[in-house]
Amino acid sequence: MKLFKYLQYIFILFVLGISITILYLWNIQQDLPDHNISKYFPNEITKIYDDKYDLMYHVGNRDRFYLDYKDIPKNMINAIISAEDKTFFIHQGFDIKGILNAFIINLKNIYSKSNNNYVGASTITQQLVKNILLNRDQTISRKIKELILSLRIEQDYSKEFIIELYLNEIYFGRRSYGVASASFNYFNKSIFDLDIHEYAYLAALPKGPNNYDPKKNYNRALDRRNYVLKQMELNKFITYDQYIFYSNLEIELIERNNKKYNSDYKTDFILNYLNSNSFNENAFYIQSTIDQSLQKISEKSLIDNLALFEKKYQNWTGNFKNLDDILKFKNDHWHIAKVISKNENFTELSIINSDEIVYLDVDDNLYGPQKDPPHKYLNVGEYIFISNINETFYAVQLHKINGSVIIMDPFNGDIVSMVGGVNYQVSNFNRATQAYRQPGSSIKPFIYAHALETKKFLPNTKILDSNILLDQGNDLPVWVPKNYSNKSYGELTFRRALETSNNLVTLKIGLDLGLNSVNDFLYKINFYNKSNTTDVYSTLLGAVENNLLNLAKSYSIFLNGGYIVEPSIIKKVVSNEGELIINNEYFKCNYCSFSIDDRSYRVPTIESQEEKVISSQTSFQILNILEGAIERGTGKSLNKIDYPLAGKTGTTNESKDLWFFGLTPRYVIGVYVGYDTPRSIGYRETGSSVALPIFKTIIENYLINNKNFNDKFVVPSDLIVKKVDKDTGEISDGQNTIIDYFTKEQLDILENINKIESIGGIN
């Protein structure tokens, strides 16, 4: 009787237990997320690379490249299965035998204390569920949910898709999500180029990346990798000889800088382009046109030169009492230093995060209008910025003045460097693209180019530099323009007037051509939008605003033979699925594609897709005159640089906006300097005194490693070389001559003019 009651109680408890379990599972099931993993796509990030495919910036928190199953190397799949789930292709979501086996192995390892390689019991499917559908809570309910979801996923999806998603999702350390990213971050190799022992090391990491970092515990990392190799050998993925060979190899990882990349002017410009063209929905891989070596040179040249320039006008206010305060404004080119001691002869500083002690030379560091020495304006114990300029340390402070630099390939429009200001952290306003300012004298080469195109002027035409009065219309005063020097120089040649940036001669040329004609030409070369141009005399001296990028684009016509190129900072954009979204090409090829069915073969011809706006002859003639501006004109402080250079300064009224455009056989380099709220930069400061030194520093640093003695400006074959008297413009073999270039038509015109003058002289 008692036995019957016990059995009855046991039965009731059993039924009750089953009922509770069913209710528990029912409740859990109601709370399960959707197991449709086909909807899931790993959160990739948009990556921006330079022109050499080095990563510059990425948008997002996870470093990942997605690979389809068919693209994942077989050895990688074999390694991860051996390490994590050797029965993956057999089980239905969980592995009872594996759980029991793991339990026994781990007990043995704990007891023997001879092996730190503990074996997990979760299948790859369960790990995937935990990563993408559930949290990581160590609870029974979460494990039950994981099991149910794993069973469902195994029923609805192929093994290939499950392991594909797993290998693209899991974290490998070093900010790497997925095997492709891990391959780059650990070995600096494509996943397709790894060897078996390297696949084994990656497969060892998901268990705990920090635990198997060779720098922290090499032996532990080696044991774990060799454990994976052994499992590969036991699973017959590799031979015993291969196991012996690979297990004796060292783990060799690259030291990769996995810092978080900061946005700046150029990356903002790239991302704004993508957003404005509706490329903001997915992740992309972007190859930019940026040359990082030139970018760094440009950034340092701008901030250093402007810092040294401001010493003339600004008092020192650059002391920081706390390190945290100065860190808010740090940049990649200046050091933060602490003042250790000072006296009248020298100031001693310690560079932060370095053991280096440096000294400030008094004469090099006199600051402000009063030329205060360092011991007067620096305080012991406080922090300042210093910059190493040509092996000399200078105290520098945050700028009040600002500026920008553009370096562009004039032949295809590639922007190889963009510096939008002196400090992106202080202001992300891009002064290369968003600051519209008066170009001043930098407009002049285009007016002279139009003059040559119309054949009204020749390179050696003589024009009288004299005062003119211009009626500006009703109720407006008569305008009496002046040269910058307030002097007139008598007769000047066309060439000499541009070399010296003469205002009065430029106005006379522009008036002779007609304001409508000049404005139409400026619109044709995209110097201005038509809506921006007005028929006012000051247009001829650069009074209508434009930005640095547009001006650099216009200057390109003097280097590329007269073509308008559209600036581009992007070479290619590839979607996360490998689709080529953007591929900037500047040439098209006719008859390049043909088949055996074509009736005849036609020789392929390549044509530029850019618009030709001036002749190649005019293009070079202006370029050659701008070479003269470097040799003996407004840019003559550059004439000792042994490299082909041409250039033009730009200065506006009251020196509010200062420019320099330097032309080399490879690049057009534009520099702008001005205050964000326009005001005078300094009494009688010019593009030559402020903007040109920035260009000079850029080109000198560029030439240290990039000087090519074959670089030269290309002369069109149909130009004729003549010796010309540089003052009178007459063709001559005398001592005061320079080389000038003419077209045959220009020489014919010149000959006719000389005949007419000769006849007039006889009469």
Side-chain angles (χ1 to χ4, degrees):
M1 194 71 178
K2 286 185 178 180
L3 179 61
F4 177 76
K5 283 186 177 182
Y6 285 139
L7 290 174
Q8 194 175 31
Y9 290 148
I10 291 171
F11 177 75
I12 292 170
L13 289 173
F14 176 76
V15 172
L16 185 61
I18 292 294
S19 300
I20 292 172
T21 301
I22 291 172
L23 286 172
Y24 179 70
L25 293 175
W26 175 262
N27 287 330
I28 283 180
Q29 188 166 270
Q30 297 303 306
D31 194 35
L32 287 176
D34 185 359
H35 74 286
N36 184 1
I37 58 174
S38 62
K39 293 180 180 178
Y40 178 81
F41 193 84
N43 178 28
E44 288 194 274
I45 62 178
T46 291
K47 296 190 173 189
I48 301 175
Y49 299 87
D50 66 11
D51 63 332
K52 298 178 180 65
Y53 295 99
D54 285 332
L55 186 64
M56 294 195 310
Y57 181 66
H58 53 70
V59 186
N61 297 320
R62 297 189 170 188
D63 195 353
R64 188 199 317 275
F65 297 91
Y66 194 91
L67 292 174
D68 292 333
Y69 177 80
K70 61 181 175 59
D71 297 322
I72 301 172
K74 188 66 175 175
N75 280 322
M76 186 68 247
I77 294 172
N78 292 341
I80 203 72
I81 288 173
S82 299
E84 297 293 328
D85 187 1
K86 68 179 181 180
T87 62
F88 171 74
F89 283 103
I90 301 172
H91 64 64
Q92 298 302 310
F94 69 99
D95 183 8
I96 290 293
K97 185 178 178 182
I99 294 171
L100 294 174
N101 187 54
F103 180 73
I104 294 170
I105 291 174
N106 290 337
L107 278 179
K108 287 181 178 179
N109 288 342
I110 292 171
Y111 180 76
S112 67
K113 297 182 181 179
S114 61
N115 195 330
N116 291 321
N117 291 307
Y118 299 111
V119 180
S122 294
T123 64
I124 281 176
T125 312
Q126 288 175 284
Q127 292 180 51
L128 180 65
V129 167
K130 180 174 64 177
N131 277 347
I132 70 175
L133 298 179
L134 300 173
N135 56 39
R136 294 178 174 269
D137 293 343
Q138 298 296 321
T139 62
I140 294 175
S141 63
R142 201 270 296 162
K143 290 297 291 183
I144 293 173
K145 289 178 182 180
E146 179 185 294
L147 181 60
I148 295 171
L149 289 169
S150 297
L151 291 169
R152 291 181 178 180
I153 286 172
E154 288 275 356
Q155 287 179 345
D156 292 347
Y157 297 97
S158 69
K159 292 286 189 179
E160 289 78 11
F161 181 70
I162 293 170
I163 200 167
E164 171 190 312
L165 205 52
Y166 175 80
L167 284 173
N168 283 287
E169 167 60 28
I170 53 174
Y171 181 58
F172 285 87
R174 291 198 178 189
R175 302 185 73 247
S176 306
Y177 289 80
V179 290
S181 177
S183 176
F184 278 109
N185 288 337
Y186 280 96
F187 299 108
N188 201 30
K189 294 181 185 178
S190 163
I191 186 69
F192 310 109
D193 297 329
L194 298 187
D195 208 342
I196 288 172
H197 64 293
E198 293 166 326
Y199 290 119
Y201 178 75
L202 292 184
L205 292 171
K207 192 68 67 180
N210 289 330
N211 297 333
Y212 305 116
D213 182 346
K215 288 186 69 175
K216 295 179 180 178
N217 192 326
Y218 183 85
N219 290 333
R220 190 175 188 182
L222 188 67
D223 286 346
R224 178 65 183 168
R225 186 207 63 183
N226 289 348
Y227 165 79
V228 176
L229 287 170
K230 184 61 179 177
Q231 295 304 305
M232 292 179 74
E233 187 259 324
L234 293 175
N235 292 335
K236 302 190 183 307
F237 293 138
I238 60 175
T239 66
Y240 178 75
D241 289 341
Q242 285 178 307
Y243 164 69
I244 294 299
F245 173 76
Y246 288 118
S247 62
N248 282 293
L249 295 179
E250 294 183 356
I251 298 175
E252 295 181 356
L253 306 181
I254 57 104
E255 290 299 321
R256 195 173 184 86
N257 184 0
N258 286 288
K259 68 177 182 179
K260 187 178 187 304
Y261 293 86
N262 294 318
S263 181
D264 58 16
Y265 297 106
K266 61 185 184 298
T267 56
D268 264 8
F269 187 70
I270 293 169
L271 294 174
N272 288 337
Y273 174 85
L274 292 179
N275 291 335
S276 64
N277 287 276
S278 301
F279 294 125
N280 55 354
E281 298 298 326
N282 297 303
F284 298 96
Y285 307 113
I286 303 163
Q287 184 193 11
S288 75
T289 58
I290 295 295
D291 180 325
Q292 294 230 63
S293 62
L294 265 175
Q295 178 70 26
K296 291 174 182 176
I297 288 172
S298 301
E299 290 171 354
K300 184 168 172 57
S301 299
L302 179 70
I303 64 174
D304 281 351
N305 277 281
L306 291 185
L308 295 182
F309 169 76
E310 280 200 321
K311 289 171 62 177
K312 294 193 294 184
Y313 297 102
Q314 302 291 339
N315 289 317
W316 177 264
T317 57
N319 295 325
F320 291 83
K321 292 185 177 181
N322 300 311
L323 183 59
D324 288 343
D325 293 336
I326 194 172
L327 284 171
K328 297 174 185 176
F329 306 104
K330 68 184 179 69
N331 63 61
D332 293 335
H333 307 288
W334 289 356
H335 302 287
I336 297 174
K338 185 175 185 179
V339 181
I340 298 175
S341 65
K342 64 176 185 175
N343 58 44
E344 293 183 0
N345 298 316
F346 65 87
T347 301
E348 182 182 15
L349 304 105
S350 171
I351 296 179
I352 300 303
N353 297 326
S354 168
D355 296 329
E356 187 174 3
I357 301 296
V358 299
Y359 300 90
L360 297 183
D361 180 79
V362 174
D363 292 337
D364 290 323
N365 285 278
L366 300 176
Y367 213 96
Q370 304 302 318
K371 299 187 181 302
D372 292 327
H375 74 273
K376 280 194 173 183
Y377 59 82
L378 297 182
N379 301 317
V380 173
E382 295 186 343
Y383 300 90
I384 66 167
F385 286 114
I386 59 173
S387 186
N388 186 347
I389 304 173
N390 297 326
E391 305 305 321
T392 299
F393 283 97
Y394 293 84
V396 289
Q397 65 178 350
L398 297 177
H399 304 77
K400 290 183 172 60
I401 200 169
N402 225 305
S404 54
V405 175
I406 282 287
I407 304 181
M408 197 172 95
D409 185 325
F411 303 99
N412 59 18
D414 283 355
I415 299 169
V416 297
S417 175
M418 173 183 283
V419 187
V422 295
N423 194 316
Y424 179 84
Q425 306 305 320
V426 174
S427 167
N428 56 25
F429 178 71
N430 191 334
R431 293 150 193 86
T433 61
Q434 295 174 297
Y436 282 78
R437 300 290 186 263
Q438 293 184 356
S441 308
S442 53
I443 196 176
K444 291 174 182 175
F446 304 98
I447 296 171
Y448 283 68
H450 183 43
L452 292 178
E453 287 283 282
T454 61
K455 302 179 177 59
K456 288 187 175 182
F457 293 85
L458 308 177
N460 62 339
T461 298
K462 289 179 284 187
I463 305 129
L464 181 63
D465 172 20
S466 60
N467 290 332
I468 53 177
L469 305 178
L470 297 174
D471 183 3
Q472 300 185 89
N474 295 334
D475 301 324
L476 291 173
V478 173
W479 183 32
V480 185
K482 300 286 186 182
N483 289 322
Y484 179 77
S485 64
N486 285 325
K487 299 178 183 177
S488 296
Y489 297 91
E491 273 196 331
L492 293 176
T493 64
F494 181 93
R495 164 185 279 277
R496 186 60 181 160
L498 181 54
E499 288 179 351
T500 57
S501 195
N502 188 284
N503 287 341
L504 296 177
V505 171
T506 301
L507 281 168
K508 288 187 175 183
I509 292 173
L511 293 171
D512 195 299
L513 297 170
L515 287 177
N516 285 334
S517 176
V518 171
N519 282 339
D520 287 344
F521 177 74
L522 293 175
Y523 172 69
K524 176 184 175 183
I525 66 172
N526 293 338
F527 192 86
Y528 292 132
N529 293 326
K530 208 160 195 175
S531 59
N532 289 348
T533 55
T534 54
D535 293 335
V536 295
Y537 300 124
S538 57
T539 301
L540 299 173
L541 296 181
V544 181
E545 295 175 343
N546 209 337
N547 68 36
L548 180 64
L549 180 59
N550 286 339
L551 294 177
K553 163 187 166 181
S554 296
Y555 267 89
S556 294
I557 67 176
F558 302 130
L559 286 167
N560 65 23
Y563 289 94
I564 286 289
V565 294
E566 285 304 318
S568 174
I569 200 167
I570 294 174
K571 282 188 177 180
K572 292 180 183 178
V573 176
V574 178
S575 73
N576 49 30
E577 296 176 349
E579 179 185 1
L580 185 63
I581 305 295
I582 295 176
N583 185 19
N584 284 327
E585 295 180 350
Y586 295 89
F587 301 94
K588 66 178 180 180
C589 186
N590 297 321
Y591 316 122
C592 287
S593 299
F594 62 93
S595 71
I596 57 174
D597 296 325
D598 290 341
R599 295 180 61 185
S600 63
Y601 171 77
R602 302 183 71 173
V603 176
T605 58
I606 296 176
E607 298 178 2
S608 170
Q609 296 188 125
E610 307 304 335
E611 178 187 2
K612 194 173 182 69
V613 291
I614 60 174
S615 69
S616 56
Q617 294 80 18
T618 296
S619 168
F620 181 79
Q621 285 176 316
I622 295 298
L623 177 65
N624 183 249
I625 293 174
L626 295 181
E627 281 190 273
I630 300 297
E631 293 175 18
R632 53 191 165 269
T634 55
K636 60 186 177 183
S637 60
L638 298 170
N639 61 18
K640 292 183 179 179
I641 296 176
D642 183 22
Y643 189 72
L645 295 177
K648 182 69 187 77
T649 55
T651 305
T652 63
N653 285 339
E654 300 178 28
S655 300
K656 290 182 178 180
D657 301 299
L658 304 178
W659 311 78
F660 185 78
F661 292 91
L663 309 178
T664 80
R666 294 175 182 267
Y667 301 115
V668 54
I669 302 176
V671 178
Y672 161 75
V673 176
Y675 288 99
D676 286 346
T677 301
R679 62 183 175 89
S680 177
I681 291 171
Y683 177 66
R684 297 191 70 78
E685 297 290 1
T686 65
S688 294
S689 65
V690 182
L692 183 148
I694 298 169
F695 168 83
K696 185 177 183 181
T697 305
I698 292 172
I699 199 66
E700 286 176 340
N701 281 279
Y702 167 76
L703 292 175
I704 290 172
N705 297 314
N706 296 279
K707 189 168 185 179
N708 187 334
F709 291 97
N710 294 321
D711 282 354
K712 59 184 178 181
F713 296 123
V714 179
V715 184
S717 59
D718 48 0
L719 282 178
I720 301 168
V721 178
K722 293 290 183 181
K723 287 184 177 181
V724 174
D725 188 291
K726 68 178 183 180
D727 294 325
T728 67
E730 294 177 359
I731 294 176
S732 167
D733 287 325
Q735 297 296 316
N736 194 36
T737 59
I738 58 172
I739 296 295
D740 215 337
Y741 295 84
F742 298 86
T743 65
K744 185 178 184 306
E745 184 179 10
Q746 287 173 336
L747 288 176
D748 290 341
I749 293 171
L750 187 60
E751 185 178 353
N752 289 333
I753 291 173
N754 290 336
K755 283 182 180 178
I756 292 170
E757 289 179 349
S758 176
I759 292 171
I762 293 172
N763 290 339

